[in-house]
Amino acid sequence: MFSSTASSISKMSALVSGVGTDAAIYDDPQDADIPTLLDSRYDADKAQGLKRLIALMAQGQDVSTFFPQVVKGVASQSLEVKKLVYIYLVHYADKRPDEALLSINSFQRDLSDINPLVRAWALRAMSGIKVRAVGPLVIMAANKCARDPSPYVRRCAANAVSKIHSMGDEQHFDELVQLVSILLNDNYPGVAGAAAQAFISVCPERYSLLSSSFRKLCGLLYEADEWGQISLMDILMRYIVAKYGVVRDFSSVNVEFSCLQQAHEENGGDFYKADTRSSFPDERWEVRLMLSSTLSLLRSQNSAVVLQAAVIHWYFSPGNELSNIVKPLLFLLRSSLDARHVVLANILSFSKCEPSLFEAYFEDFFICSSDSQAIQALKLDILTNIVSDLSATQILQELEAYIRNPNSQLAADAVNSIGRCALRLSSTVAICTKGLLKLVVSRSSRDDDSLHNANDAEPKVGDSGREQYSPGRGRVVVQAVSSLRAIMQKHPAEQDQVILHLLRNLNHILEPTAREVVIWMIGEQAIARPALAEGIPVALRYLAKTFANESNGTKLQVLNCLAKIISSSQRCSSLKTVLLILQYILDLAACDLNYDVRDRAWILRVLLAGHLDAIKHHSSYDADPRLPEIIDAILLNIDQSKLDPGVLSKAANSMFLRQKSVPVLPSLSLQPSTFLPGSMSHMVQHKSPGYRPLPRERYTDLSPSSPTLPERQPELQSQSESTDSGSESFESEDDGNYTDDDLAVISDADGNTAKEKADLISLSDTELLKRDASPEDLSPSVDLESWLGPEEPSNSPEDFDKSSNSEVKKVLALDFTNGDGLEVHYGFMRGPSIFSSSMVCVRLFLHNKSSEPMHGIEINDGETAGRQTAFESGTARIIPPEAVALEPGEKTELNAHVDFRHNLSIVKVCLHCNSNKFPIKISPEPGVLLRPRKMSISVFLAAEARIAGMHRSSRRIYLHGISPGQCCKRIVAAARVSFIGSRDAEDVVLLFGAETLTGSLLCLISVALEPDAVHGTLTICCEDTLFGLALLNHLDKALTSLESIDS
Amino acid sequence: MIQCLFLLSDAGDVILEKQWMGKRVERSICSWFWRQRSEMEDQDPPSVIASPTHYLLHIVREGVTFLACTASEMPPLLGIEFLCKVASVLENYLGGLNEDILKDNFVIVYEILDEMMDSGFPSTTEPSVLKEIIAPPNLVSRVLSVVTGTSSSLNAASPLATSSQVSWRASNVKHSNNEIYFDLVEEMDAVFNRDGFVVKCEAYGEIQATSRLSGMPELSLTFANADILHDVNFHPCVRYRAWEADQMLSFIPPDGAFKLMSYRVKGLKNPPLFVRPQLSSGEGICRVNVLVGLRGDPGKPVDAIIVQLPWPPSVVSTNLSPSVGTVTYSFSTKVSTWIIGRIPKDKSPCLSGTLQLEPGINRLEEFPTFLVGFKIQGTAVSGLKVDKMDIRNVEYRPYKGFRAVTRAASYEIRT
């Protein structure tokens, strides 16, 4: 080592930079000639050169051009040079595999080195070279290393196995499985851990490998390193699930039916104890063994290990032992601060199913000021899940304290949580209601005294009033009113006081959204208790005064409220007042600046004509002589002869007097999901690539197939259904504020609808999935009909059928000048191919423009002569049409069937005609590679929620003001998709479903049209990201082009 | 599995990148991440984020962001724990963690990262084992490298510790002075509500050990009052059975510094400090009066007392004067910091003054939470006591040392 041959350059640079650090190299890697250094005879120089390369790598530059020179360094005897070379090689091996081959010989020599480090590194570098040709060599090397005396090398061999497998060479699969099996049986815990990881990547379903070594692996578990423990627990857990099923699951709150559970019930839960006796009468000792050997891991310092162990106990431990996981999980919140977010998200899932587990530990979920917003939301959600009669007082006190917090988001979330606590625990309803009311009043009336006392008659509700409002404050009030509404709807008994209170304070509630909710509640109140409605005319008079200054949303609510009162309380004593106010407000609204308000006023005028007519003709009224007069004034511009009062009043009743379902206050953080706890998918709420659900247990087929519905949330379940049907059907609710020729849109009182719905849908996921897979949905026979759902009344399927088949978009494939007079166009047919559901029918339009007859026109791949029944071109498979002949001037159409195999690249075929060859290129459109897929809106939404992240692409597009109907037509014409329906959010959203021809990947398209109809957002969810993007471009073009089919 | 790691400086620049898998991840992901971060304003984004192309996991240590990317399913906690491990190993190796230190030692950092992960799955992460493969930089080796021109940080041809029976300890450790130190480091979390009552008060503690013992020592540590421990977790070297049976820590220690156990004691009754805030507001002004004092006698002096008063956004300016210590006010964050130090015998610290509220706001509607910091040397506030420590399986009698310190972690006063 103490050679005095060091080059002076390195000495100098090291001296200048301060003693021996590499700072100078990092700052200026290229101040020396790197190739010269690399080619030097001296190891020190080589190391210098390599360090400079690594510095460049660290800075993100591509230095792969030095590959040939670096590879030579492998032969060096210096450990440091070797290590640096290996770092370089691992970084670039896949980029320049051919040059990496040069180093194979040196690696093989190194595999026999006496230093285990060198052996391991050689294998690591070798397995990094992704060239098929070296596959056998690498496997040989891995085989050798798997039997190495050094555990370090054996572990490297285990890691190499997954790398070799990722090369995708199926040829060596059996050898790899063999290797995995050897390594799993290794006595050294560290090796077994790495082998478990190899097992996961190579053959995750090969449970037979585990059955023999199960007991041993459980024994090694505690001694393995923390990373190995995670992989080992994963494979052991899946093995047990495959063998016995689980005790507890997320898909239903109740315990799922499985053989484990069954045995549980038969033995009164004590079959586990069987194992404490000397013999195992039952084969389920494995479950017991796994539970007992993972118990100690709950005390690990590594949060990932604790969580994985907790997941195992969650799935398998009998009810009374489940509490083992609680304290370790909660301790993670303090001991591993970086893991808090993930741990809380998992606790949320656990607590949703088993609130009692965490009930006693509510203090751990109190918020401290260092918590980030995401963590606060999770903690509040957990608190609302676990609140019980014992803890309610303390939790509510704590939530009250958060309302005082300067963080307005936290304050609003706390108010939301109070509402949810009340919905969950009916014993807290009274206190929550009182608190919320106090909050609304106190928060709203701040500064009002000074501000509005002067002109109390006309409180400013407009902009001037709102300026005094900090946005955070308003949020709290809005949230409080929404919470109150939810509580009231669930517990109508409490309503009287609350409504009176709110009514009295209406002039102090300035936040428009909050006003909307209160007015909505007044309307509902009027329906429910007409007798109590004395206060209502007062409120209406007040609202009539302020109407002009209200926000648009509030105006709509005022109109709705009036409509409800008219429809319900015809016998109201103050009918005259109400009618006068109605007339006044309708007149005001008819001149409003906002077209929605104007429209609503006109619609109501017509709709209410029925009721008004009835009032007018009701003889038993102590007829105020002015009543008919007022009514006539209201109905002034309406031609009553064309209206049928009976039908109208029925329609009005069905809209305004419907039973409203209790809204679900949206949870603040994650939606409940059925993804495996502890997984990435569970965190990001969509299925991430490579996610593997728990295996299906062996006995599933024997157990009843219908999953039991969750008992604790029956009302949620039924509600979700009613909401679904509500949005699919075309009955417009009173709150609807948008109608169009083709589409009826429904919106709810507050803007949370979409979120609430998503919430509901995921709850009933299991049921939807079942529907999802029904066979008739998949069969291509429903194809033609499914382009438009029956929900689309104005566009009958025939319209589309015609337009789609007669107006196939033709693309020129061969010009007659190039084709000796033969002109060829092609177009893609809509229907499924007769040969295979994965094929597309391509219609060729031939036209003989020459003066000579043509014969023997046929298509093949151009290489083999003569007729072919089917051939391949590139990735595509083509079934060509029969040969034809054409007289001069004659036209004909031929059908070729092409399986593009989900590839958008151009397909080249060869057209033969009069023994000439003409190349023809067919470029598939993304829209063609789809097959329409019908589903219900709820299924669509559930699926859409699953496909997220990188699988979702969206773009804002310019629509030239086309109507939703046209938009729908254009999309259906541009791609083979099925129209599913429309959904209301703030915008109209059109939904289309399809799946890819090959692989049947779901492809979900939604177009959100903004109210101005000028812009919209096109979103595509497809598990093939690239294809999704191509489709996005395609549809964007179809939607935005001016000369589309319908114009 | 983890595809790559980026180390980002506090300005968002990439200090270095390490790719473990064949599929390279472009650097542009870092700027995406940084944009997300800046959109969150003062908050750190969640530790797991789904970007359009990758799932991103990150932790922040000493201003350096450790950002890992993966495109496929993996346990997110595995990634986060790995990042924590990387951070602690690097800190341990380099004696600190910041942009300059990382750049100075980037070759060692690369070597370590290459050892710690193989093909996207964590490999050798135990610091004592890593040190046998890659020698930590120290002045001697640096001087040697200048003199000789060789600068190898790799230990040549050393038999790997992994061949010993316990994976965390080599079989041939030798020290001239045999010694072992235990530090009880406790952090106190407490929340007081606005009436001054304790909402929650608990202590989180860690026993940090530094072992310089030769051979294969068998240690056992017992506590006088182990029953007060509400939660515990252990270093992998601790035998869980012994703890379950006798509440005794029995272990073969790794060489060097390690975290033997951490624990939590809940429901403490004696928080050492009280803070009594009084806020009364009206007519656009808020009068403030904050009293600080000792509650009971913690036994040892309470040092480094500091009170942070983060004011709500509606406060425009402050005019506060303390009877003891100094107050500084930061306009950008609207936080007043009152540094008291040690409470003098004759005077009780009191902070008084006024806050100016935004025009148009009469009364304070949002109430701040004050944060208190302090330190007590020489005592563990939980009351945990080490009974005795025995050593077996070795000839020598080592030097044993115990220390304790308590700090305030999240000591909050609601107003």
Side-chain angles (χ1 to χ4, degrees), chain A residues 114-131:
Chain A
I114 40 164
N115 188 338
L117 277 182
V118 175
R119 297 199 295 272
W121 291 344
L123 178 65
R124 207 186 287 172
M126 245 176 123
S127 53
I129 303 172
K130 309 244 155 120
V131 183

Side-chain angles (χ1 to χ4, degrees), chain A residues 26 58 94 152 303 334 950, chain B residues 15 22 27 52 81 115 189 414:
Chain A
Y26 185 92
D94 65 315
Y152 181 80
S303 59
R334 187 61 183 83
M950 63 194 92
Chain B
I15 304 172
R27 277 185 172 220
E81 282 289 337
E115 255 336 296
D189 298 333
R414 293 188 184 142

Side-chain angles (χ1 to χ4, degrees), chain A residues 675-959:
Chain A
F675 291 115
L676 197 61
S679 68
M680 181 71 83
S681 305
H682 181 266
M683 278 311 290
V684 297
Q685 305 242 291
H686 64 250
K687 190 178 159 203
S688 56
Y691 171 79
R692 290 179 304 131
L694 283 181
R696 288 168 64 80
E697 63 170 292
R698 216 173 42 181
Y699 306 110
T700 308
D701 303 335
L702 305 175
S703 66
S705 58
S706 66
T708 44
L709 288 179
E711 253 183 30
R712 291 190 204 167
Q713 288 147 326
E715 73 275 348
L716 293 187
Q717 186 78 27
S718 59
Q719 224 179 75
S720 74
E721 274 154 15
S722 71
T723 316
D724 286 347
S725 63
S727 57
E728 275 165 53
S729 73
F730 264 70
E731 292 166 293
S732 174
E733 217 187 333
D734 59 323
D735 303 315
N737 58 0
Y738 191 104
T739 36
D740 192 285
D741 292 345
D742 323 287
L743 298 155
V745 182
I746 306 141
S747 97
D748 216 321
D750 55 359
N752 287 332
T753 334
K755 208 178 165 193
E756 283 170 20
K757 272 184 193 155
D759 198 355
L760 295 168
I761 281 150
S762 46
L763 274 174
S764 51
D765 227 352
T766 42
E767 214 231 348
L768 298 175
L769 284 175
K770 225 171 54 198
R771 257 194 278 159
D772 213 1
S774 71
E776 62 269 22
D777 279 353
L778 303 174
S779 72
S781 63
V782 294
D783 201 346
L784 286 170
E785 296 85 343
S786 73
W787 289 337
L788 271 189
E791 299 98 311
E792 186 73 351
S794 72
N795 299 316
S796 65
E798 290 85 347
D799 290 349
F800 278 91
D801 208 7
K802 239 189 290 160
S803 77
S804 51
N805 271 336
S806 60
E807 293 181 37
V808 170
K809 212 170 90 195
K810 290 185 199 170
V811 181
L812 182 68
L814 183 67
D815 191 71
F816 69 94
T817 50
N818 296 332
D820 281 0
L822 178 65
E823 189 166 79
V824 182
H825 287 83
Y826 70 88
F828 298 102
M829 302 306 293
R830 307 281 320 187
S833 160
I834 49 169
F835 288 102
S836 151
S837 62
S838 63
M839 282 191 156
V840 177
C841 176
V842 181
R843 182 161 291 181
L844 297 166
F845 302 89
L846 309 179
H847 186 189
N848 183 354
K849 291 193 170 177
S850 72
S851 52
E852 285 158 5
M854 296 177 173
H855 54 85
I857 303 174
E858 63 182 17
I859 287 171
N860 67 12
D861 61 358
E863 275 154 24
T864 38
R867 155 132 191 94
Q868 289 168 306
T869 48
F871 60 91
E872 308 252 332
S873 162
T875 53
R877 180 181 161 77
I878 301 157
I879 299 178
E882 296 290 320
V884 293
L886 281 180
E887 292 303 312
E890 196 188 347
K891 289 182 186 176
T892 191
E893 293 173 6
L894 301 174
N895 285 343
H897 297 264
V898 185
D899 184 357
F900 290 103
R901 303 219 167 109
H902 199 54
N903 195 323
L904 286 171
S905 51
I906 291 172
V907 174
K908 292 176 186 161
V909 294
C910 195
L911 185 94
H912 292 259
C913 169
N914 291 351
S915 69
N916 286 333
K917 282 205 264 183
F918 305 108
I920 288 183
K921 293 174 182 172
I922 300 174
S923 65
E925 292 169 356
V928 178
L929 302 187
L930 293 171
R931 163 187 322 136
R933 171 81 186 269
K934 266 180 88 166
M935 57 184 96
S936 70
I937 294 186
S938 46
V939 175
F940 181 96
L941 294 176
E944 193 183 31
R946 271 202 308 277
I947 308 175
M950 63 194 92
H951 300 317
R952 173 177 300 199
S953 40
S954 68
R955 181 178 297 168
R956 190 151 189 268
I957 50 175
Y958 179 63
L959 283 172

